Amino acid sequence: MYYPPYMRATPYVFGTLMGYVLFLIKSGKIKASLSKTTVVLGWACSAALCIGVILAAQPLIDKAHHPYRVAEHALYAGLHRVAWALGTSWVLMACILGYGGLVNALLSCRIFTVLGRLGYGIFLTHAAVQMVDVGTVRTSHYYSDFKTVSVIYVCVNSRDPNNSLRHVQSSMEK
């Protein structure tokens, strides 16, 4: 479902636009001084957007206590990536322009540099790993909570996850 490039277009476009705006600011073509009111409003909107994206997903997942409504799901599916991209764009912009404060100090810690590089390496290789995993399956998958947890457990605790995955899949199909 997430393979087509248009599924990732929103964050990519927002990141490209933010990079261009930062280029214009650094080159002096746009003035970058913000009033205190603008900074506070930007942080409040950013926090509201990001927290809203996280909290709005819970009722959509909780099918036992929340009835399915097409409009809610469509609205969330269509706008959550835009909202998250806007929220994180403000955080990055504020930190780069010197309005980050404590958030900038936290994000500038050395551990996040290491984790960022590790995460980027995983990002670059995960699609190939997923394609190999999907391409080696020769039977239908029937997912359950137990199977998901058992596959994760075996992958984390095994030295040869490919053989362990096949063992879990064959035992679940019996």
Side-chain angles (χ1 to χ4, degrees):
M1 177 172 94
Y2 203 66
Y3 286 122
Y6 55 82
M7 297 295 289
R8 296 178 296 278
T10 304
Y12 179 80
V13 168
F14 275 92
T16 303
L17 288 174
M18 192 183 85
Y20 182 67
V21 169
L22 284 172
F23 169 75
L24 292 176
I25 290 170
K26 297 288 182 178
S27 66
K29 294 180 181 178
I30 294 179
K31 186 178 176 186
S33 63
L34 302 174
S35 68
K36 187 171 182 166
T37 306
T38 305
V39 172
V40 170
L41 187 63
W43 278 108
C45 289
S46 174
L49 285 170
C50 291
I51 291 170
V53 167
I54 294 168
L55 295 180
Q58 199 282 329
L60 302 177
I61 296 169
D62 186 14
K63 295 177 180 155
H65 300 99
H66 188 79
Y68 178 78
R69 294 186 185 101
V70 175
E72 284 180 351
H73 282 74
L75 190 67
Y76 184 80
L79 296 179
H80 80 279
R81 286 186 182 94
V82 173
W84 187 262
L86 282 172
T88 55
S89 292
W90 170 259
V91 172
L92 294 173
M93 184 77 72
C95 288
I96 289 170
L97 295 178
Y99 300 107
L102 186 62
V103 173
N104 190 33
L106 178 70
L107 293 176
S108 297
C109 289
R110 184 151 178 85
I111 186 71
F112 289 117
T113 303
V114 174
L115 290 174
R117 290 178 181 165
L118 180 65
Y120 187 62
I122 292 169
F123 165 74
L124 290 175
T125 59
H126 83 283
V129 172
Q130 285 178 339
M131 286 188 187
V132 167
D133 182 45
V134 170
T136 58
V137 173
R138 296 180 184 240
T139 59
S140 300
H141 282 285
Y142 298 99
Y143 286 106
S144 67
D145 293 338
F146 175 76
K147 182 172 181 176
T148 302
V149 171
S150 66
V151 167
I152 292 170
Y153 177 78
V154 169
C155 286
V156 168
N157 293 310
S158 173
R159 291 182 184 202
D160 186 8
N162 289 328
N163 287 335
S164 300
L165 277 175
R166 288 189 190 100
H167 173 71
V168 170
Q169 290 170 349
S170 63
S171 67
M172 294 300 292
E173 292 169 359
K174 293 179 183 176

